Each structure stands twice: as structure tokens, then as C-alpha cells.
Amino acid sequence: MDFTSPLRVVASGLDGPVLEAIVRADRPLTGREVARVLGQSSHSGVRGALRRLVAQGVVTSLPAGRAHIYLFNRDHVAAAHIEALVRTPTEVVRRLRQTIAAWEVPAVWAVVTGPMADGVATADDSIDLLLLRSDEIDEDDPAWRAQVESAARALSAWTGNDVRVSEFAVDDVERGIGAPELRAAMADGIDLVGSPGAHEATVAVHMDR
């Protein structure tokens, strides 16, 4: 799925992004303002999407001088479903947190990194998951391996995106292994469970290797 515009799941062309911009707005928007939000230099495509959305009743058009303003029709029977789609990235994170928190073999730290963490993931991007495990758990431990692979399959099923898992043991961190990935995760990642915690100082010390 395209995390930059979740409504593309059910709306083609500009209709999804235009509707999402209106749903997220805290006030009515003119067509030009919608185009500006979307970074569209041409307004014709935006106008066409607005006409279609008004015809469907999910967007209301009101005259405002020589222009029109547009707002989301929250009374529409589909409104709650549309808002739920807009919140899809948050729902994916919630599900992932719930799944990993229930692991029989707990992770020291689990975090989403990469394009999804940066809010720019599209359907062509992988979802990057970084895991930090205890030194007491071997990477080939059957219980650990099963839950990691199960979570990756579930995440791909929820989104349609490929899933890329990077994992390190605490001892790896202390030896400076995976420094770029860990540095990025600490700076910009979306925490799921745990944290570097007691190892945070060690992580910081070895980040510059």
C-alpha cells in the first residue's frame, strides 16, 4: 500500500489524495489550496477529482465569492470508513505493536525504520523492521525464528508491501555491528516495543565506529 496516500487503495488517480487532503484539513479548502497541499502545479486534475467526489456526496462544495470551498461530508454513510482508511498507517503500527508485545520470546527492542518511519513509503517500498534480541537468544532459536517470520508474513498481508527484517544481538551493538542501521533507528524510527534501555549508552558509544 501507499502510506503517503492510503486512500489509493480504493481510489484511482488523484481522487484518493484529494479526498485525503480534505479529510485531514481542519477547515474548508479551495481547489487551489488542495492543489497546493498535494504539490500539484496543474489544477485541472484536482478540479476533476473534486467534481467526482462532490458527485459521490463525500465532499461538499460551497460557493465562496467567485470560488468554491470544499469540505468533507462527515454525515455520509461512508465517512467513518474513509476516515479509517486515512488512519491506516497508525493502524498498521498498532497491530504490529500488539503482535510483537505478545511474543513468547521478547525482543529487547523492535522499531520500524526506513521509508515508513519517514512517512514516505509507497507500494513499491519495503517496510523495514529492526529487532534487537538478547544475547541469550540465538538467531536460529526455533521459537524466536518462528515469531519473527510470522510477524513479517502478517505485516506483508496487512499492507501488500515486502517486509525486510534486520536483527542484531545486544553483543553485536556492543561491538559496533550495524551502527548505521541502529543510528537511523534511534534517530527516526517508530518504536514498537522495548528500547535500547540499559544498552543505550553502549549504543551511543559505538555509533561512531
Side-chain angles (χ1 to χ4, degrees):
M1 66 171 289
D2 186 343
F3 286 84
T4 66
S5 182
L7 285 172
R8 286 191 191 277
V9 169
V10 295
S12 61
L14 278 174
D15 291 25
V18 167
L19 180 54
E20 185 171 348
I22 292 172
V23 172
R24 291 185 182 277
D26 57 2
R27 60 181 179 83
L29 299 176
T30 66
R32 288 184 179 276
E33 287 174 322
V34 172
R36 189 158 52 245
V37 168
L38 300 181
Q40 293 286 321
S41 57
S42 172
H43 297 172
S44 60
V46 171
R47 286 196 297 269
L50 286 168
R51 283 195 297 271
R52 290 188 292 273
L53 293 169
V54 169
Q56 292 291 337
V58 294
V59 169
T60 300
S61 172
L62 299 173
R66 297 175 61 184
H68 282 78
I69 55 175
Y70 301 90
L71 64 159
F72 182 47
N73 177 14
R74 286 184 163 80
D75 292 326
H76 196 283
V77 67
H81 305 288
I82 291 168
E83 289 177 305
L85 279 171
V86 171
R87 294 193 300 269
T88 296
T90 302
E91 174 62 13
V92 170
V93 171
R94 186 196 68 79
R95 287 189 185 188
L96 196 52
R97 281 184 176 138
Q98 185 179 54
T99 296
I100 297 178
W103 278 2
E104 179 182 348
V105 183
V108 172
W109 186 35
V111 56
V112 173
T113 64
M116 182 176 173
D118 294 335
V120 297
T122 69
D124 296 325
D125 290 308
S126 65
I127 298 177
D128 300 327
L129 181 62
L130 186 146
L131 303 173
L132 184 62
R133 67 178 187 278
S134 167
D135 291 333
E136 299 170 1
I137 306 300
D138 186 83
E139 65 177 327
D140 295 322
D141 177 272
W144 171 264
R145 200 75 275 129
Q147 63 191 17
V148 172
E149 292 172 359
S150 176
R153 286 194 301 270
L155 182 53
S156 183
W158 297 336
T159 63
N161 296 69
D162 291 333
V163 176
R164 183 173 59 183
V165 179
S166 301
E167 61 178 84
F168 304 94
V170 170
D171 181 61
D172 293 332
V173 176
E174 293 173 347
R175 290 184 289 134
I177 296 174
E181 294 95 329
L182 290 160
R183 183 164 49 241
M186 293 181 71
D188 302 313
I190 301 173
D191 288 328
L192 300 172
V193 300
S195 72
H199 308 288
E200 192 163 350
T202 303
V203 171
V205 167
H206 292 280
M207 278 297 122
D208 295 328
R209 286 190 177 185

